[in-house]
Amino acid sequence: MASLMMNLSAPMDFEGQRKAERLIHIIITTCGCVGLVFGWFQQEYSKCVYTIFAGIALCILLVVPNWPYYKGTSMKWVDDDLVDKYWEEEAEKEKKDKDNGD
């Protein structure tokens, strides 16, 4: 159980966010259309609303936990030393440009 909780606690990556958002759009749109048709034929607006609420509940169940499906793409981060070196070089270039401009 502890290993499952550790696996679910890792952050979702950008690709996982894209998948989750696409899934939300598909489920809500489908439930909205089905609920509209179902409520139309039953002549009860409440059934339309209940169908949409069921879609929202399904979205919460599928998207809110960090399932392993959403963490499949690893991202390579830039090393801090490389970033510091880049900004130092940029500062030197700016200083040279300022000195040459005066």
Side-chain angles (χ1 to χ4, degrees), residues 6-7 9-10 19 21-22 28-29 33 40 43 46 51 65 67-69 75 82 91 93:
M6 289 293 288
N7 194 19
S9 66
K19 290 176 185 178
E21 186 176 0
R22 182 178 292 155
I28 296 295
T29 303
C33 293
W40 184 282
Q43 293 294 311
S46 62
T51 306
W67 298 110
Y69 173 71
M75 179 181 286
L82 186 62
K93 287 180 187 177

Side-chain angles (χ1 to χ4, degrees), residues 70-85:
Y70 300 123
K71 297 180 278 186
T73 308
S74 62
M75 179 181 286
K76 183 178 179 185
W77 294 94
V78 178
D79 187 29
D80 287 338
D81 295 333
L82 186 62
V83 173
D84 292 338
K85 182 180 175 184

Side-chain angles (χ1 to χ4, degrees), residues 1-101:
M1 184 69 174
S3 64
L4 177 64
M5 294 308 290
M6 289 293 288
N7 194 19
L8 292 178
S9 66
M12 186 184 297
D13 58 9
F14 291 119
E15 188 68 24
Q17 290 175 2
R18 187 183 62 79
K19 290 176 185 178
E21 186 176 0
R22 182 178 292 155
L23 185 64
I24 288 170
H25 287 285
I26 290 170
I27 290 173
I28 296 295
T29 303
T30 303
C31 287
C33 293
V34 169
L36 183 66
V37 171
F38 181 62
W40 184 282
F41 284 118
Q42 294 292 319
Q43 293 294 311
E44 287 188 45
Y45 182 71
S46 62
K47 292 190 179 183
C48 174
V49 173
Y50 292 148
T51 306
I52 293 172
F53 284 159
I56 292 171
L58 180 64
C59 285
I60 290 171
L61 182 67
L62 293 176
V63 174
V64 170
N66 278 328
W67 298 110
Y69 173 71
Y70 300 123
K71 297 180 278 186
T73 308
S74 62
M75 179 181 286
K76 183 178 179 185
W77 294 94
V78 178
D79 187 29
D80 287 338
D81 295 333
L82 186 62
V83 173
D84 292 338
K85 182 180 175 184
Y86 171 78
W87 285 113
E88 288 172 2
E89 291 173 358
E90 287 295 316
E92 288 175 12
K93 287 180 187 177
E94 186 176 302
K95 186 176 179 182
K96 285 181 183 178
D97 290 343
K98 187 177 180 182
D99 291 341
N100 290 339

